Amino acid sequence: MRIALFATCLADTLYPRVAKATVRLLERLGHEVVFPAASTCCGQMHVNTGYQRAALPLIRHYVDTFAGFEAIVVPSGSCTGSIRYQHAMVAGRLGDSRLAVRATKVAARTHELSELLVDVLGVTDVGAYFPHRVTYHPTCHSLRLLQVGDRPLTLLRHVAGIELVPLPDAESCCGFGGTFAVKNSDVSTAILADKMRNVLATGAEFCTAGDSSCLMHIGGGLSRLRTGTRTVHLAEILASTPADR
Amino acid sequence: MSTFLGLPTAPAGVGHLRGSEPFPVAARRALADTQLRRNLAKATSTIRAKRARVVAELPDWEELREAGRAIKAHTLAHLDTYLEQLESQVTARGGTVHWARDAPEANRIVTGLVRSAMATEVVKVKSITTDEIGLNDALAAAGISAVETDLAELIVQLDHDRPSHILVPAIHKNRSEIREIFLREMADVDPGLTDVPAALTQAARQHLRRKFLSAKVGISGANFAVAETGTLCVVESEGNGRMCLTLPDTLITVMGIEKVIPRWADLGVFLQLLPRSATGERMNPYTSMWTGVTPGDGPQDFHLVLLDNGRTAALADPDGRPALSCIRCSACLNVCPVYERVGGHAYGSVYPGPIGAILSPLLTGIEDNASLPYASSLCGACYEACPVKIDIPSILVEQRARHVEATHGRSAEAITMAAAAWAMSDPARFAAAQRGGQLGRLLARHGVIRRLPSPLSGWTAARDAPAPPRETFRQWWRRTGRP
Amino acid sequence: MVAAHGAAMNAREEVLGRIRRAAGNGPAPATGAVPRAYRSRGDLRGSQLLDLLAARLTDYKCSVRRCWPGELASAIAAAILDRGARSIVLPPGLGLPLPDPATTGADLTLVVDDGFSAEHLDRFDGVITTATVAIAETGTIALDGSSGQGRRALTLIPDYHLCVVYEHQIVCLVPEAVAALTPERPLTWISGPSATSDIELDRVEGVHGPRTLEIILVAADGPAHATERGELCQST
Ligand code: SF4
């Protein structure tokens, strides 16, 4: 299958290893991955911070860039959520109903990574090998907006060598919330502290999730406190093979 | 105030819908209160578990939620019809209906009614609506003392504090703090009072008993008012509500106009949704329903005050309107990671938590509660818990957009956002910006950045920031010669 | 008070006017009926309903006794005596088999409500009533002030409330109870004794309303001749 990768501005700029892992994984499963050179950002941060008007060109750009593809993969629950639930809404609210219709169509072909693997490609065992103790944080937008359910956990359970440990109070937010972490950094930190406490309580070497933004937040805290526990994106685990060792 | 159709918002200077400082400032102080943090964490986790248990018991919970949402949406679209129907039913059964455009008008009406009943003391059932309009202050100014009879409201009143939760106003106090308040403020209390909740409860029972038995005027809010029949409904646990609704000669009920529901049968939906979402009980201990005046049973003089106070402004906002569906169960507060850590006072309004973060600005206009829509990580737990399916995260995002529009893009943030959008809507400009950002590597040591300049300094106060990599994904893609 | 009346009219017209303007700005009202896919009739019958109601009542700290119709008199007498209640107020038209104070041995007084003041009601130890309907799933009894149930103050002020519920009065679900009740009557739904969770969300039973709620559940048809009372009138 020919799959277009929307790397997300965050992974493209700060976490290229996540986008590369997505490419590696899908190619290993026998699919063709294309990265449209024009792709940039979905506009989620703008919409969620109140800048809908500024987001409109980003939305239009996403729709123009990806309109020609049958399947689009996004290694981020929150960006997928924005594309699926905000693009058409913002376009409609700002009076561009033609864009809203096009956005709805493109959104229907846009899949978060675990959705693509399980629902579209029909795989749960991707042949990965990751011999580490790992705990999974479901991330709010994957959990509640996309309702990915246990797709990521199913994929993880099939990884060879992995020791999956449940995260206490897993479904509570990590406190990131985009610009929330900056505008209300004290509250965000208080929420993060509890998430880190729960991650550390598992004794895991890695905390994984399907969203680089939440991982940047949790990982930033874990790193600041020199905890020795790290974050790793779901795509990176699923892309790992014995050859990587 | 810029509102839809120019409809007036709740006036300032009266009642409790506005805080004196922005949310992040108030939140910072709350976060430093260790006792508060502990009390809130314990209380909210208890109630979350109870709610989850009784919600899971019902096989048709989602169908009930959908019915609840639809009934409320329908009511809001025909609010004038249902209020007129309610008015005529209440009047036909011997009650008197009053209309109040705003808080001062409602306070004037209630004060006048208490005066004509020749009372100098009134007993009150917990009512956030009367907190919203500052009724107790208005009564006090007229020489009338209002006795709060709900245990938590009594604790808050005795402590000269403000409610911090819409269902459990004293959720921020623990048992030993409550014992101290009782010992300090209750004239008739047993000095040997312990901090066992049962003992504290009995102290409150004794303290209020005589007041109930001799009360001339009771004041309540309403959970529901049925247009079809004119029936008012109050849901409670302690029996203080029944006391106030039954024993006085005069009963005054102050109700927001959005509390009306069309049909008697609709109670079959809401009396399942509310108790399970609120206290996590299958049913609350007492639900009282009355229709006008019943000869020989209960108050023979009944007044219903229908309050606007910004509700029509919220109604006119097509995106914000669903916030008026709220049945004040407080489930969204209890599941909110922000509320759980800062408590209710930080929101400044009597409506805290996720619902408060949308409802307060809708009632006052965004300018007066501009920081509230940002007091959320948009985690969506509120929407998931809400028994009438209010999509609070989406309304928060809309409220943020209103705020940005009201500031006309002139803030530093707006300029940054515009610049970012300009750069990111074009791949060449985006790639250039990424290369600029890679200069951030200069700030990094061992792959992380420990201190960023303002406004990102809040981030690095507690978290490392990732150093930009040597090569972006897009650069890697091009370098490796991929399609 | 012409001026005040005029102001009131203005507020009414103005609020209604605002609503009409505001409503026009919203989404077009949904044309379809409200989806009512929730359960409106339960599928439990007879003793299943009794069992569920008893379990749910007990769960919320309500004392429950169960008996056949022929045993009601002794069940009521046992409840009052076990409780140690001496002065009991009764609603008019109660129609229950009550113990005869002359033969119980205890100095029991039973007085029918005569519009007593609140202070006077406060001097009674307890009250005995029937109910209009009971909801099994939630452990709720509903009183509507009709004959045998009395005005609302009667079941509020005395500290002990003994209520007799017959099997035919039990419904399974909340919507069934709503449908069975008359909205124009003053209604009180009671689910367990008064309680509060205001201190640390710890539930404490017994605040302003009766601190003890006891319910006698009367099964519809007993055996032709009563056997050992202990077997049939179990206290749970
Ligand atoms: S918004 Fe929903 S969850 Fe929150 S208090 Fe209102 S009804 Fe309850």
Side-chain angles (χ1 to χ4, degrees), chain A residues 72-95:
Chain A
I72 303 138
V73 67
V74 187
S76 158
S78 60
C79 297
T80 310
S82 178
I83 292 161
R84 201 172 290 167
Y85 296 105
Q86 291 181 332
H87 278 191
M89 182 273 291
V90 171
R93 184 172 177 260
L94 298 179

Side-chain angles (χ1 to χ4, degrees), chain B residues 166 277 325-333 355 382 385-390 392:
Chain B
I166 57 180
S277 302
S325 306
C326 173
I327 58 172
R328 309 281 189 269
C329 73
S330 74
C332 60
L333 279 64
I355 182 61
C382 48
C386 178
V388 288
K389 297 170 78 167
I390 302 173
I392 296 176

Side-chain angles (χ1 to χ4, degrees), chain A residues 100 110 209:
Chain A
T110 303

Side-chain angles (χ1 to χ4, degrees), chain A residues 112-126 148 150-152 154-155:
Chain A
E112 183 272 338
L113 178 62
S114 73
E115 294 176 333
L116 178 91
L117 290 168
V118 176
D119 301 345
V120 182
L121 305 180
V123 288
T124 49
D125 185 347
V126 297
V148 300
D150 60 1
R151 290 177 186 84
T154 306
L155 290 162

Side-chain angles (χ1 to χ4, degrees), chain B residues 7-52:
Chain B
L7 287 172
T9 52
V14 54
H16 304 280
L17 284 172
R18 297 163 172 85
S20 55
E21 51 193 357
F23 180 82
V25 177
R28 188 173 308 136
R29 194 170 44 255
L31 287 169
D33 184 338
T34 322
Q35 187 69 61
L36 174 77
R37 296 282 297 274
R38 214 192 103 74
N39 296 351
L40 284 170
K42 180 164 180 244
T44 55
S45 62
T46 306
I47 190 80
R48 281 198 300 267
K50 281 169 108 178
R51 176 194 163 276

Side-chain angles (χ1 to χ4, degrees), chain C residues 118-182:
Chain C
E119 283 84 359
H120 193 149
L121 284 177
D122 202 26
R123 295 201 287 270
F124 288 100
D125 294 336
V127 58
I128 306 175
T129 71
T130 57
T132 302
V133 65
I135 310 168
E137 191 171 85
T138 57
T140 303
I141 55 169
L143 278 62
D144 75 354
S146 57
S147 182
Q149 300 171 39
R151 60 195 171 108
R152 287 171 287 171
L154 205 61
T155 49
L156 174 62
I157 300 177
D159 205 15
Y160 169 67
H161 180 191
L162 177 64
C163 183
V164 174
V165 175
Y166 297 94
E167 184 179 315
H168 71 86
Q169 296 177 315
I170 307 173
V171 296
C172 190
L173 305 176
V174 173
E176 292 175 279
V178 170
L181 289 165
T182 310

